[in-house]
Amino acid sequence: MSDDAHVLSAVWMSDHPVDRAVVMSAIDTVLEKDRVARAREHRLRVGSLVPLALLLPIMLWAAAHGVTPLVRGAYALMAAGGAVIVFAEWSYLEWSRQALPGPADARSQLQKAAFMLARQVMLMNTAPIWSSPVFIGVALIGVWLYWERTHAEAFVIWTITTAGWLATALGTIAVRARLNERKLQMERLLGELQ
Protein backbone atom coordinates (compact mmCIF):
# COMPACT_ATOMS: atom_id res chain seq x y z
CA MET A 1 0.00 0.00 0.00
CA SER A 2 1.34 3.46 -0.84
CA ASP A 3 2.08 6.18 1.68
CA ASP A 4 -0.90 8.13 0.38
CA ALA A 5 -3.23 5.20 0.97
CA HIS A 6 -1.81 4.83 4.51
CA VAL A 7 -2.56 8.52 5.14
CA LEU A 8 -6.16 8.02 4.03
CA SER A 9 -6.52 4.83 6.10
CA ALA A 10 -5.23 6.64 9.18
CA VAL A 11 -7.63 9.52 8.58
CA TRP A 12 -10.61 7.19 8.08
CA MET A 13 -9.87 5.07 11.16
CA SER A 14 -9.15 7.93 13.55
CA ASP A 15 -11.70 9.14 16.08
CA HIS A 16 -10.99 12.74 15.17
CA PRO A 17 -13.03 14.52 12.56
CA VAL A 18 -11.76 13.96 9.06
CA ASP A 19 -9.51 16.74 7.87
CA ARG A 20 -10.57 17.38 4.29
CA ALA A 21 -7.22 18.99 3.51
CA VAL A 22 -5.31 15.80 4.37
CA VAL A 23 -7.59 13.66 2.22
CA MET A 24 -7.40 16.06 -0.70
CA SER A 25 -3.63 16.30 -0.34
CA ALA A 26 -3.27 12.50 -0.59
CA ILE A 27 -5.55 12.36 -3.64
CA ASP A 28 -3.79 15.31 -5.27
CA THR A 29 -0.42 13.61 -4.71
CA VAL A 30 -1.59 10.41 -6.43
CA LEU A 31 -3.11 12.33 -9.33
CA GLU A 32 0.03 14.45 -9.72
CA LYS A 33 2.25 11.33 -9.75
CA ASP A 34 -0.03 9.88 -12.41
CA ARG A 35 0.15 13.10 -14.45
CA VAL A 36 3.97 13.12 -14.30
CA ALA A 37 4.13 9.45 -15.32
CA ARG A 38 1.76 10.10 -18.23
CA ALA A 39 3.81 13.08 -19.42
CA ARG A 40 7.00 10.98 -19.39
CA GLU A 41 5.28 8.11 -21.23
CA HIS A 42 3.86 10.56 -23.76
CA ARG A 43 7.32 11.92 -24.65
CA LEU A 44 8.77 8.42 -25.01
CA ARG A 45 5.88 7.17 -27.12
CA VAL A 46 5.87 10.17 -29.44
CA GLY A 47 9.63 9.74 -29.82
CA SER A 48 9.18 6.12 -30.91
CA LEU A 49 6.07 6.79 -33.00
CA VAL A 50 7.69 9.33 -35.34
CA PRO A 51 10.46 7.03 -36.68
CA LEU A 52 7.98 4.19 -37.12
CA ALA A 53 5.60 6.43 -39.06
CA LEU A 54 8.51 7.52 -41.25
CA LEU A 55 9.40 3.87 -41.96
CA LEU A 56 5.91 2.99 -43.21
CA PRO A 57 6.31 4.58 -46.66
CA ILE A 58 9.66 2.84 -47.08
CA MET A 59 8.11 -0.52 -46.21
CA LEU A 60 5.24 0.12 -48.63
CA TRP A 61 7.70 0.97 -51.39
CA ALA A 62 9.64 -2.25 -50.66
CA ALA A 63 6.36 -4.19 -50.70
CA ALA A 64 5.69 -2.89 -54.21
CA HIS A 65 9.22 -3.26 -55.58
CA GLY A 66 10.75 -6.24 -53.74
CA VAL A 67 12.92 -8.71 -55.65
CA THR A 68 10.60 -11.70 -55.16
CA PRO A 69 7.00 -12.29 -54.12
CA LEU A 70 8.26 -13.56 -50.73
CA VAL A 71 10.16 -10.33 -50.09
CA ARG A 72 7.24 -8.19 -51.27
CA GLY A 73 4.88 -10.14 -49.01
CA ALA A 74 7.28 -9.81 -46.08
CA TYR A 75 7.50 -6.04 -46.48
CA ALA A 76 3.74 -5.79 -46.92
CA LEU A 77 3.29 -7.72 -43.68
CA MET A 78 5.79 -5.45 -41.93
CA ALA A 79 3.99 -2.35 -43.27
CA ALA A 80 0.63 -3.69 -42.08
CA GLY A 81 2.12 -4.51 -38.67
CA GLY A 82 3.74 -1.09 -38.50
CA ALA A 83 0.42 0.57 -39.28
CA VAL A 84 -1.24 -1.44 -36.50
CA ILE A 85 1.52 -0.39 -34.09
CA VAL A 86 1.13 3.27 -35.08
CA PHE A 87 -2.65 3.02 -34.53
CA ALA A 88 -2.18 1.25 -31.17
CA GLU A 89 0.35 3.84 -30.02
CA TRP A 90 -1.96 6.64 -31.14
CA SER A 91 -4.84 5.00 -29.19
CA TYR A 92 -2.62 4.63 -26.14
CA LEU A 93 -1.60 8.30 -26.30
CA GLU A 94 -5.22 9.34 -26.76
CA TRP A 95 -6.33 7.30 -23.75
CA SER A 96 -3.51 8.83 -21.73
CA ARG A 97 -4.69 12.30 -22.69
CA GLN A 98 -8.30 11.44 -21.86
CA ALA A 99 -7.29 10.15 -18.43
CA LEU A 100 -5.79 13.47 -17.37
CA PRO A 101 -7.70 14.92 -14.45
CA GLY A 102 -10.19 17.58 -15.39
CA PRO A 103 -12.07 20.14 -13.35
CA ALA A 104 -14.23 17.55 -11.61
CA ASP A 105 -14.36 16.23 -8.09
CA ALA A 106 -11.55 14.00 -6.80
CA ARG A 107 -13.60 10.82 -6.91
CA SER A 108 -14.51 11.19 -10.59
CA GLN A 109 -10.90 12.05 -11.44
CA LEU A 110 -9.70 8.86 -9.74
CA GLN A 111 -12.41 6.78 -11.43
CA LYS A 112 -11.58 8.18 -14.86
CA ALA A 113 -7.84 7.64 -14.44
CA ALA A 114 -8.34 4.08 -13.13
CA PHE A 115 -10.66 3.24 -16.03
CA MET A 116 -8.19 4.55 -18.61
CA LEU A 117 -5.34 2.68 -16.94
CA ALA A 118 -7.40 -0.53 -17.21
CA ARG A 119 -7.80 0.09 -20.97
CA GLN A 120 -4.07 0.66 -21.33
CA VAL A 121 -3.30 -2.55 -19.41
CA MET A 122 -5.55 -4.42 -21.84
CA LEU A 123 -3.66 -2.91 -24.77
CA MET A 124 -0.34 -3.93 -23.23
CA ASN A 125 -1.63 -7.48 -22.67
CA THR A 126 -2.15 -7.89 -26.40
CA ALA A 127 0.95 -6.00 -27.63
CA PRO A 128 2.99 -9.10 -28.57
CA ILE A 129 0.06 -10.25 -30.72
CA TRP A 130 -0.70 -7.03 -32.58
CA SER A 131 3.01 -6.33 -33.16
CA SER A 132 3.65 -9.85 -34.51
CA PRO A 133 3.18 -9.05 -38.24
CA VAL A 134 6.37 -6.96 -38.15
CA PHE A 135 8.37 -9.81 -36.65
CA ILE A 136 6.83 -12.39 -38.98
CA GLY A 137 7.69 -10.17 -41.96
CA VAL A 138 11.31 -9.90 -40.83
CA ALA A 139 11.41 -13.67 -40.31
CA LEU A 140 10.19 -14.10 -43.91
CA ILE A 141 13.07 -11.93 -45.07
CA GLY A 142 15.24 -14.43 -43.20
CA VAL A 143 13.62 -17.26 -45.18
CA TRP A 144 14.45 -15.46 -48.42
CA LEU A 145 18.05 -14.98 -47.24
CA TYR A 146 18.23 -18.68 -46.36
CA TRP A 147 17.05 -19.69 -49.85
CA GLU A 148 18.82 -17.05 -51.94
CA ARG A 149 21.88 -15.92 -50.00
CA THR A 150 23.67 -17.51 -47.04
CA HIS A 151 22.39 -19.51 -44.12
CA ALA A 152 24.44 -17.41 -41.72
CA GLU A 153 22.63 -14.20 -42.71
CA ALA A 154 19.29 -15.93 -42.25
CA PHE A 155 20.20 -17.17 -38.79
CA VAL A 156 21.39 -13.69 -37.78
CA ILE A 157 18.07 -12.19 -38.94
CA TRP A 158 16.08 -14.90 -37.15
CA THR A 159 18.08 -14.43 -33.94
CA ILE A 160 17.57 -10.66 -34.01
CA THR A 161 13.86 -11.11 -34.77
CA THR A 162 13.38 -13.56 -31.92
CA ALA A 163 15.29 -11.30 -29.52
CA GLY A 164 13.18 -8.31 -30.62
CA TRP A 165 9.93 -10.18 -30.14
CA LEU A 166 11.00 -11.39 -26.70
CA ALA A 167 12.13 -7.88 -25.76
CA THR A 168 8.73 -6.56 -26.81
CA ALA A 169 6.95 -9.18 -24.71
CA LEU A 170 9.15 -8.54 -21.67
CA GLY A 171 8.86 -4.78 -22.10
CA THR A 172 5.10 -4.95 -22.18
CA ILE A 173 5.15 -7.04 -19.00
CA ALA A 174 7.10 -4.28 -17.24
CA VAL A 175 4.83 -1.52 -18.57
CA ARG A 176 1.74 -3.53 -17.68
CA ALA A 177 3.03 -3.99 -14.12
CA ARG A 178 3.61 -0.24 -13.71
CA LEU A 179 0.17 0.58 -15.12
CA ASN A 180 -1.48 -2.03 -12.89
CA GLU A 181 0.28 -0.62 -9.85
CA ARG A 182 -0.99 2.89 -10.60
CA LYS A 183 -4.50 1.54 -11.27
CA LEU A 184 -4.56 -0.43 -8.01
CA GLN A 185 -3.35 2.61 -6.08
CA MET A 186 -6.24 4.65 -7.48
CA GLU A 187 -8.73 1.86 -6.80
CA ARG A 188 -7.51 1.68 -3.19
CA LEU A 189 -8.02 5.42 -2.82
CA LEU A 190 -11.49 5.07 -4.33
CA GLY A 191 -12.24 2.31 -1.82
CA GLU A 192 -11.08 4.61 0.97
CA LEU A 193 -13.41 7.36 -0.23
CA GLN A 194 -16.50 5.13 0.20
Side-chain angles (χ1 to χ4, degrees), residues 2-194:
S2 72
D3 293 337
D4 303 315
H6 283 300
V7 168
L8 280 178
S9 292
V11 167
W12 268 220
M13 292 189 293
S14 72
D15 291 333
H16 304 301
V18 175
D19 185 5
R20 182 171 169 77
V22 173
V23 173
M24 293 310 296
S25 173
I27 291 172
D28 288 342
T29 301
V30 168
L31 290 173
E32 179 61 22
K33 285 179 185 177
D34 185 60
R35 188 195 62 74
V36 168
R38 286 183 190 287
R40 185 183 69 245
E41 288 173 2
H42 186 269
R43 286 189 304 273
L44 290 171
R45 292 197 175 282
V46 166
S48 67
L49 194 59
V50 170
L52 184 59
L54 293 175
L55 279 175
L56 283 175
I58 295 167
M59 287 187 278
L60 288 172
W61 181 87
H65 301 289
V67 292
T68 68
L70 179 64
V71 170
R72 288 192 296 274
Y75 278 111
L77 198 56
M78 286 189 281
V84 169
I85 291 171
V86 167
F87 176 76
E89 289 289 343
W90 175 78
S91 296
Y92 188 94
L93 289 172
E94 182 63 21
W95 292 340
S96 294
R97 189 190 61 73
Q98 288 176 3
L100 291 175
D105 64 303
R107 181 176 178 74
S108 65
Q109 289 179 6
L110 286 171
Q111 285 175 327
K112 181 179 183 181
F115 176 73
M116 292 298 170
L117 284 168
R119 289 173 72 183
Q120 291 170 331
V121 166
M122 181 271 311
L123 188 64
M124 287 293 108
N125 283 339
T126 59
I129 296 166
W130 49 257
S131 65
S132 64
V134 172
F135 297 107
I136 293 169
V138 175
L140 289 175
I141 295 293
V143 169
W144 178 80
L145 287 171
Y146 187 85
W147 288 344
E148 301 292 329
R149 301 286 190 243
T150 66
H151 297 330
E153 291 173 342
F155 285 115
V156 167
I157 291 291
W158 290 332
T159 302
I160 292 170
T161 302
T162 303
W165 206 348
L166 288 174
T168 299
L170 294 175
T172 58
I173 290 170
V175 170
R176 188 175 62 222
R178 285 195 311 270
L179 292 173
N180 255 331
E181 182 180 323
R182 285 176 22 210
K183 180 176 75 76
L184 290 173
Q185 184 180 32
M186 289 181 189
E187 288 172 349
R188 276 191 231 114
L189 285 172
L190 282 167
E192 294 288 339
L193 285 174
Q194 294 193 24

